[in-house]
């Protein structure tokens, strides 16, 4: 029996795409005899997306199709989470509604999961990105910074377009955090992820929902969500300032014993002010250390994830 494959499709203002994606996914999987289900999450679209989805639901009789309409726009991450919660498949594939990501690649992912039992997830990454120089610079810098600051690894160019086994999806659903950053969550839960290259096609209809500001905020979400290093910044700066000003005051003290050398009150005052400022920063850094622990605790992530357990057997001899 082939495995059921769920497609989780976030859709925001995709009236021209939702029927097309339903069709192309069926065209790619039906001839191979692979059962699919689509979970379409309308993320508070302002166009006719909900009406078109309703039409599609009625035309198909709800076969292979779950539609969820959000009460307003909650963002792609929220739509993904909702889709994952509704998906019933043994394999779950995240795919955009705009047909930039080809179901043929999704089929390659399916085959890889079928043939490689050790692979838990197959993610697509864009080998060639058709982006402006500035955007590319910012994206590359983001990966450099986050990989240095975080204990988990972020693969540059990896997209949300991926197919994972049920055990990995359940692990992702076990993360109850509010601020969700999928790229980080996929890495954080572990498991074996294989990467396959793909080239994003042109959007079928409509326009991209990501402005530079949205991308920038997304990058900040990633850094804040997966690193507490910024909280250490105050203590590092405080340490440098305190040590520097102490050295400065020490030099002033030594100079004051040398006959003929005049050390002014003003220099001493500057030294003392810098020393006090350094101590305050160290104190802020100490608060940061406690805050980072509180922050990690309130996320309520599991302490570990069990991928497999080989249970003790009572009747074994
Ligand atoms: N999307 C969403 N909510 C949003 C923004 C986007 O559900 O607030 C969906 C969108 O409909 C699409 C996917 O997320 O299916 C990717 O968005 P888009 O194609 O605009 O991103 P790009 O391909 O330009 O990175
Ligand atoms: Mg797109």
């Amino acid at each position: 029996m082939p495995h059921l494959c769920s497609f989780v499709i976030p859709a925001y203002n995709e009236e021209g795409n939702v029927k097309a994606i339903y069709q192309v996914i069926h065209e790619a999987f039906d001839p191979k005899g692979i059962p699919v289900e689509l979970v379409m999450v309308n993320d508070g679209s302002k166009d006719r997306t909900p009406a078109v989805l309703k039409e599609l639901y009625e035309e198909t009789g709800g076969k292979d199709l779950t539609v969820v309409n959000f009460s307003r726009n909650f963002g792609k991450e929220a739509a993904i989470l909702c889709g994952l919660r509704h998906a019933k498949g043994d394999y779950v594939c995240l795919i955009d509604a705009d047909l930039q990501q080809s179901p043929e690649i999704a089929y390659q992912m399916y085959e890889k999961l079928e043939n490689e039992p050790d692979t838990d997830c197959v993610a697509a990454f864009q080998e060639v990105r058709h982006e402006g120089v500035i955007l590319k610079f910012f994206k590359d810098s983001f990966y450099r910074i986050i990989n240095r600051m975080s204990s988990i690894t972020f693969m540059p160019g990896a997209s949300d377009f991926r197919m994972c086994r049920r055990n990995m999806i359940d692990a992702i659903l076990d993360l109850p955090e509010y601020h969700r950053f999928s790229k980080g969550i996929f890495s954080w839960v572990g498991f074996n992820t294989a990467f396959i290259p793909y080239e994003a096609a042109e959007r079928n209809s409509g326009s991209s929902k990501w402005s530079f500001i949205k991308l920038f905020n997304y990058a900040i979400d990633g850094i804040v969500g997966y690193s507490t290093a910024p909280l250490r910044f105050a203590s590092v700066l405080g340490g440098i300032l305190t040590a520097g000003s102490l050295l400065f005051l020490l030099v002033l003290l030594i100079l004051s014993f040398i006959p003929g050398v005049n050390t002014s009150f003003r220099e001493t005052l500057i030294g003392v002010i810098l020393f006090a400022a350094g101590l305050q920063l160290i104190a802020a850094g100490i608060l940061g250390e406690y805050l980072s622990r509180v922050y990690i605790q309130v996320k309520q992530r599991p302490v570990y994830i069990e991928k497999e357990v080989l249970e003790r057997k009572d009747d074994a001899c």
Side-chain angles (χ1 to χ4, degrees):
M1 186 65 185
H3 291 106
L4 172 66
C5 185
S6 302
F7 286 86
V8 168
I9 309 169
Y12 177 57
N13 294 346
E14 305 281 8
E15 60 181 5
N17 295 325
V18 284
K19 280 192 179 176
I21 186 92
Y22 180 90
Q23 198 159 353
V24 291
I25 288 175
H26 274 283
E27 277 167 13
F29 281 75
D30 289 357
K32 280 129 189 159
I34 301 164
V36 294
E37 68 156 2
L38 277 75
V39 183
M40 297 215 185
V41 184
N42 161 35
D43 183 14
S45 300
K46 294 184 177 67
D47 65 355
R48 289 193 65 253
T49 304
V52 179
L53 281 174
K54 194 143 199 247
E55 266 172 41
L56 181 65
Y57 187 77
E58 275 156 14
E59 280 165 24
T60 56
K63 186 180 166 293
D64 315 330
L65 178 64
T66 304
V67 174
V68 182
N69 285 305
F70 276 1
S71 58
R72 65 167 172 85
N73 179 246
F74 283 93
K76 185 181 173 186
E77 292 291 339
I80 290 178
L81 173 63
C82 169
L84 293 182
R85 281 184 177 156
H86 282 270
K88 306 265 182 332
D90 309 304
Y91 300 158
V92 180
C93 180
L94 294 183
I95 191 166
D96 288 351
D98 55 11
L99 277 79
Q100 285 192 287
Q101 301 163 338
S102 141
E104 292 304 328
I105 303 281
Y107 177 66
Q108 286 177 24
M109 294 174 177
Y110 186 94
E111 275 205 309
K112 223 170 154 56
L113 288 182
E114 287 285 275
N115 298 328
E116 297 175 13
D118 285 341
T119 303
D120 302 296
C121 184
V122 186
F125 75 98
Q126 271 180 276
E127 243 177 350
V128 194
R129 284 186 280 155
H130 302 287
E131 291 166 346
V133 191
I134 299 176
L135 189 61
K136 192 170 170 342
F137 169 77
F138 276 107
K139 283 195 177 173
D140 290 346
S141 309
F142 165 72
Y143 282 111
R144 219 171 310 119
I145 293 172
I146 200 160
N147 275 325
R148 188 163 299 174
M149 294 205 322
S150 174
S151 53
I152 55 171
T153 313
F154 291 78
M155 163 93 173
S159 61
D160 290 342
F161 181 28
R162 58 182 67 218
M163 191 183 289
C164 307
R165 284 184 204 280
R166 171 53 47 192
N167 54 355
M168 184 159 166
I169 296 298
D170 287 343
I172 290 169
L173 289 174
D174 274 346
L175 266 57
E177 64 214 60
Y178 182 84
H179 291 280
R180 298 185 81 82
F181 182 73
S182 281
K183 283 187 203 313
I185 289 177
F186 289 129
S187 302
W188 191 88
V189 293
F191 295 90
N192 297 330
T193 300
F195 290 92
I196 55 173
Y198 90 109
E199 203 174 326
E202 285 294 312
R203 234 175 188 282
N204 183 46
S205 142
S207 59
S208 171
K209 309 314 181 269
W210 294 91
S211 60
F212 184 77
I213 295 289
K214 259 191 161 181
L215 275 178
F216 185 76
N217 288 338
Y218 189 63
I220 298 287
D221 269 357
I223 291 171
V224 175
Y226 285 85
S227 167
T228 47
L231 284 172
R232 294 236 158 100
F233 179 69
S235 32
V236 172
L237 196 67
I240 294 171
L241 208 60
T242 312
S245 55
L246 255 184
L247 204 70
F248 180 64
L249 286 171
L250 202 71
V251 171
L252 285 184
L253 187 72
I254 294 168
L255 286 179
S256 70
F257 286 116
I258 301 174
V261 181
N262 264 341
T263 54
S264 75
F265 174 69
R266 202 180 60 185
E267 284 158 355
T268 316
L269 192 65
I270 290 174
V272 170
I273 290 173
L274 289 181
F275 181 69
L279 284 185
Q280 282 178 14
L281 280 174
I282 289 178
I286 293 172
L287 288 183
E289 287 299 317
Y290 284 92
L291 187 63
S292 71
R293 278 152 185 78
V294 174
Y295 177 58
I296 289 167
Q297 180 72 37
V298 294
K299 279 191 187 183
Q300 297 195 345
R301 285 188 189 160
V303 179
Y304 57 84
I305 291 168
E306 293 178 358
K307 181 171 158 179
E308 190 186 17
V309 183
L310 302 177
E311 292 276 7
R312 178 177 66 87
K313 285 194 185 124
D314 278 341
D315 52 356
C317 47

